[in-house]
Each structure stands twice: as structure tokens, then as C-alpha cells.
Amino acid sequence: MKDSIKKNMGKILIWGTVAFFTILYFSLIFNKNVWTDEVFTFDLLRYDLKGIVEKTAEDVHPPLYYFYAKIFELISPQNIQIQKIAAILPMAAILVYMGVVIKKEFGEAQAFLSILFLACLPCTMEFAVQIRMYSLALFFVTLAGIEGYRAYIHEDIKHWIFMGIGVLGAAYTHYFAFVSVCFVMFFLLVAILISKKKLVKNWLICSLVLLIGYTPWLPSFVKQYTSVRESYWIPPITGEVLKSYITWTFGLELVKGVEIAYLILLTIVFVWACMGVKKKGIRFAILCMLVPTATTVSGVLISLTKSPIYRDQYVLPALGLLATYVGIVCADKLKSKAKYLVVLFVLFMLFSGAVQYKECFRQEYKSSYIDKTMEFFEDNLGENDYVIYNYRAMGFVYKFYFPEDRLIYVEDFDLSSDYDNAWFLYTLNNWPVTENDCINYNLGMEYLGVYGIEHNDFDLYRIYHN
């Protein structure tokens, strides 16, 4: 029995890690809270496929994720849990894919360490359950990068096809995922020109097919890129913004400064990579690291020279390749004196993952009054009631939770109209319902306590006719 366990320890670690983190992701989906971008997803899913194309052509992301999410929308319309499962599936697929392919190409230790790094990264654990396109984009970029390597090594057409699927999938899912796979294709071409010139023809054919495949969306991409203005909502690039990129990717809310430990870790890994650069696997790993690096640098440069279009989370689709880089390089040191540092790396990642899971659990279940709020309105919102609010920016989110025909901005609400109750969500200092209004319209007003939706808390009042 012990010999069998020892013999299969690599497989146990790989698949135990995959199963464990998939279960952790699923444990975070049983809540009623969605944030503004997730509400935007649900809003788009109300349209048919033609409507999704038209709306995304006017937005900042391509349509493929919404097509994917629409399948789950057909199963159960406007269902938070179903859409969170849709987000988890690509994340779980990445872990499975890495467990199979990295193990096959490089070894069990490389696969385990890559999976562990990706699964424990603070940002990936948070975004794995978000009802957005990031986990799907992460899957496609990881697929494109690793299958590009396999196409180069094995010269098998099936790997060119899989790489193409990854490239086109990324391009139709997220614009900076598109940037990342463009760098994948560029680095593959460099490798080919250096040592396998016979594959140039394959690369050119593949690139032509991919260009044709992206041609239907190219006008929308060009239109959206050229229409970005200086007043665009993404903040301009400053020193603090650059620092926030690191904090967002590697920082922990509950342990301040842990991003410094990540930077030290990545510096050590980089030194190790430079020491082993003559090894084929290490060279591939370095190219993997260059993809998220080049994606971020290009995003920053474009933002500096044109308008701010790059933000912290746009590197997330390329982090599967960063994890591949870290796993391959660290595993290479397991048979050297540096193996104890690799053990420390494993312990640090487990610590980081545990702390971030605690924070994600808090965010999903304890960071807002959503359960209390929804329970109250399920019990008290009558057919002749209205929900009125004074924080105009939150109207987009409120309409996900309340009947749209009975949700009204307070300044547009006629206090003298016929209603049983007007439930007033009071936020900030805009108080348009005065004491004279109550007297003139013979209204009563009752304070009910603090409630909230998303991360917006409000005082709840009941307004009624005496």
C-alpha cells in the first residue's frame, strides 16, 4: 500500500489539487450578490444572439463569452448560481488541462507546481467565480501558449489546430486576451526562425486562417479602439496605478505586503530561469513569462501614448502561462540544493491560497446586506408598492433585483400617486423627500434600518399614505 502511494504520489498531488480547488470554487457560488459588471452580463443575456453581437460591438469586449453564458441562461434565466458554475467550468478545465499536458510534456512536479501557483494566486481565486469572461479568456490563452509549444516540438497538425482554437477563442473573448495570444504567435515565430525554419510555412498558413477567422469582428475591434477618448473611464497611468497592478495580482486583503513576497519569489524564479536557459523546457518557460509581461507593458504604453485603455485585471487571461513558467522553473530545482526553497514556495502558496479563500468567502457571503435585503423584500414588497432610490448610478444594479416597472429614481416618482408603500433606498446626502412633502401629501415615513445591495449600503424607509 505504501509503495503504491509513493509510486503514484505525483498523480495524487496533481489530481488531488485539481479536485480540491474545484470544490473550493464551487463553495463560493451560493449567494445572491452580484456586482455592477456581473449585472451587465445578465443584462446582455436578455438579448438573443443577434442582439448580443450588436450590443457587444458597442461595448469594450467581444461576444464569445456571452454566447457561452447564453447556453446556461437557457437552462435557467437570470440565475446567479448557474452563471457562476459557467464561470467555474473553464477554470476547472484549465487545471485539468495543465494536469494532463504539462505532466505529459515536462513531468509531474512541473504540472503540480504550475497548478498550485495558478490556483492560489489571489486574483484568480477571486475571479474564478465572477460572472464575467475572465476564466474563459484564461483558458483560451493558456491553451494557445502550451499548444503553440507542442506544435513547435511535435510538428503535429492537431497542435496547430488546438493552438488556433485558443488564439481565436481568446480574440473573441477579451481584447487583451487577444493581445496576449498575438504575443504567443510572435514568440512562436521567433523560435521557429531561430531553430526550425521549416515550420515558417505552417505558421504563415495558421496565421492566415486565424486572420480570416477574426475578419468578421475586425471592424468592431478597430471602431472600439479608435473611439476611445481621453475621458474614458479607466484611470490614467501613474506610479500609483502601476503599483496597484502588482497589488491586484499578488496582494492579499488580510495580509498587507504579501505582494512583496511574490515579487521576491518571482525574482528568484527568474534567476533560476536565466541559469538554466540552455534547457529546452526553461526556454519555453521564459517565453511563457514574457506573454503576461509583454501584455502589461503594451497596455501601459498604449495608455500613455493614446488614452487609458489598460487596467489591472486585463493581465489575468495570461496568468496561466505565468503559472506554467513558475512551475517548470521551480520543478527544475527539485534535484538541487535549492529544493528546500521549492518546499518553502509550496508552503507559501498554500498559505496565500488559504488566506485568499477566507477573504473570498467573506466577500461572497458576509460583505454586504444582500441576504437580509432580499429576505425583507420577498416578504414585504407588494403588488402596489414601488422601490425608489436616490443614488442614480446604482439604478443599473437595482433593476436586477427589483421589478423594473416598479423601480423609480426618487426625483421621477410622484409622491401623490396611488401606491401602498414606497420603499425608499436612501444613499448619500440627496434627500428629495422633505417634511413639507409628507405634510402636503399626507404621507407617513418609517425608518426600517440599514440594508444594502452589492457593496452599497443604504437606509431603508417606508413611505405610505396616512
Side-chain angles (χ1 to χ4, degrees):
M1 182 67 175
K2 288 183 179 180
D3 290 340
S4 177
I5 292 176
K6 186 176 181 180
K7 182 180 178 181
N8 294 290
M9 182 56 68
K11 293 178 182 178
I12 292 171
L13 285 173
I14 291 171
W15 299 115
T17 303
V18 171
F20 177 72
F21 280 96
T22 301
I23 291 169
L24 284 189
Y25 299 146
F26 272 98
S27 73
L28 297 172
I29 72 171
F30 301 102
N31 61 77
K32 301 174 183 177
N33 206 35
V34 292
W35 65 296
T36 305
D37 281 6
E38 292 177 309
V39 175
F40 183 82
T41 297
F42 280 113
D43 197 53
L44 264 179
L45 294 180
R46 297 176 188 271
Y47 296 91
D48 58 16
L49 297 185
K50 180 182 177 182
I52 289 173
V53 170
E54 291 172 350
K55 290 295 181 181
T56 51
E58 301 168 359
D59 183 42
V60 294
H61 296 299
L64 182 58
Y65 163 73
Y66 300 105
F67 291 170
Y68 167 74
K70 186 69 176 179
I71 298 171
F72 295 83
E73 177 74 0
L74 296 174
I75 296 172
S76 182
Q78 304 292 287
N79 188 306
I80 294 173
Q81 279 64 52
I82 291 294
Q83 289 300 333
K84 284 184 178 287
I85 290 172
I88 289 172
L89 291 179
M91 189 68 204
I94 297 166
L95 302 183
V96 171
Y97 174 79
M98 294 172 80
V100 172
V101 175
I102 296 180
K103 172 182 173 293
K104 183 176 182 179
E105 298 293 339
F106 301 101
E108 292 178 338
Q110 287 83 346
F112 166 68
L113 293 175
S114 298
I115 292 167
L116 184 70
F117 185 85
L118 180 62
C120 290
L121 268 180
C123 58
T124 53
M125 184 171 289
E126 178 180 351
F127 271 68
V129 297
Q130 295 228 349
I131 305 172
R132 296 297 286 159
M133 69 287 299
Y134 290 98
S135 60
L136 187 64
L138 178 61
F139 172 79
F140 283 129
V141 175
T142 306
L143 178 69
I146 296 178
E147 288 301 323
Y149 168 80
R150 300 180 86 190
Y152 172 82
I153 292 296
H154 302 298
E155 303 177 20
D156 190 327
I157 190 172
K158 68 181 179 184
H159 298 306
W160 288 96
I161 292 172
F162 288 142
M163 182 191 69
I165 292 171
V167 171
L168 266 186
Y172 274 103
T173 302
H174 190 284
Y175 285 130
F176 271 94
F178 181 24
V179 173
S180 294
V181 292
C182 284
F183 281 115
V184 167
M185 293 295 292
F186 171 72
F187 293 140
L188 176 59
L189 176 61
V190 171
I192 288 171
L193 291 176
I194 290 173
S195 59
K196 278 196 175 183
K197 291 183 176 63
K198 64 180 180 179
L199 294 180
V200 169
K201 181 180 178 181
N202 300 52
W203 188 92
L204 289 173
I205 293 172
C206 183
S207 297
L208 179 61
V209 170
L210 294 174
L211 180 61
I212 293 171
Y214 196 63
T215 297
W217 195 254
L218 200 56
S220 297
F221 170 75
V222 173
K223 179 182 176 182
Q224 290 178 20
Y225 176 75
T226 55
S227 66
V228 173
R229 303 177 302 275
E230 290 184 6
S231 59
Y232 196 52
W233 63 272
I234 294 178
I237 303 296
T238 63
E240 283 301 310
V241 169
L242 291 175
K243 182 180 177 182
S244 73
Y245 293 168
I246 297 172
T247 303
W248 180 86
T249 308
F250 303 114
L252 294 173
E253 188 72 25
L254 300 179
V255 182
K256 300 301 180 183
V258 77
E259 61 269 23
I260 303 301
Y262 268 101
L263 292 179
I264 293 171
L265 164 66
L266 291 173
T267 301
I268 293 172
V269 174
F270 180 72
V271 172
W272 285 347
C274 291
M275 292 168 57
V277 72
K278 292 183 179 180
K279 299 178 181 179
K280 179 176 60 178
I282 301 297
R283 290 198 296 272
F284 165 68
I286 292 172
L287 292 177
C288 285
M289 177 270 293
L290 289 177
V291 173
T293 304
T295 301
T296 300
V297 170
S298 62
V300 169
L301 290 177
I302 294 171
S303 296
L304 288 172
T305 56
K306 186 180 187 301
S307 292
I309 62 170
Y310 184 79
R311 60 174 306 193
D312 44 23
Q313 64 201 53
Y314 291 173
V315 75
L316 193 145
L319 292 183
L321 297 182
L322 181 67
T324 302
Y325 156 74
V326 171
I328 291 173
V329 175
C330 287
D332 186 62
K333 292 296 177 181
L334 280 174
K335 295 181 180 180
S336 70
K337 292 181 180 180
K339 63 183 177 182
Y340 298 107
L341 288 177
V342 178
V343 173
L344 287 176
F345 156 72
V346 171
L347 294 175
F348 170 71
M349 293 310 304
L350 291 172
F351 166 78
S352 175
V355 173
Q356 182 61 8
Y357 176 76
K358 181 179 179 181
E359 173 59 15
C360 288
F361 189 90
R362 184 197 68 81
Q363 290 178 12
E364 296 294 341
Y365 296 111
K366 300 180 179 180
S367 64
S368 76
Y369 292 103
I370 185 66
D371 289 335
K372 173 185 174 182
T373 302
M374 290 298 97
E375 287 171 8
F376 177 88
F377 280 99
E378 285 170 7
D379 293 337
N380 294 282
L381 184 63
E383 292 184 2
N384 198 34
D385 290 357
Y386 288 89
V387 177
I388 59 178
Y389 61 96
N390 70 333
Y391 188 5
R392 191 183 289 274
M394 282 297 295
F396 180 70
V397 177
Y398 291 155
K399 74 176 184 179
F400 177 76
Y401 291 98
F402 300 112
E404 201 166 345
D405 59 340
R406 289 188 282 156
L407 176 68
I408 303 177
Y409 182 62
V410 66
E411 293 183 2
D412 299 327
F413 182 66
D414 182 1
L415 290 169
S416 65
S417 61
D418 180 29
Y419 56 88
D420 293 334
N421 298 289
W423 305 99
F424 182 23
L425 318 183
Y426 169 67
T427 310
L428 303 176
N429 297 315
N430 178 19
W431 185 265
V433 183
T434 66
E435 185 177 346
N436 286 336
D437 289 328
C438 292
I439 294 172
N440 293 338
Y441 297 118
N442 193 26
L443 298 174
M445 183 178 289
E446 176 187 5
Y447 175 67
L448 299 170
V450 178
Y451 290 78
I453 287 176
E454 201 201 38
H455 295 296
N456 173 61
D457 298 343
F458 49 76
D459 292 316
L460 180 62
Y461 292 84
R462 181 173 76 97
I463 300 173
Y464 54 94
H465 293 286
N466 283 320

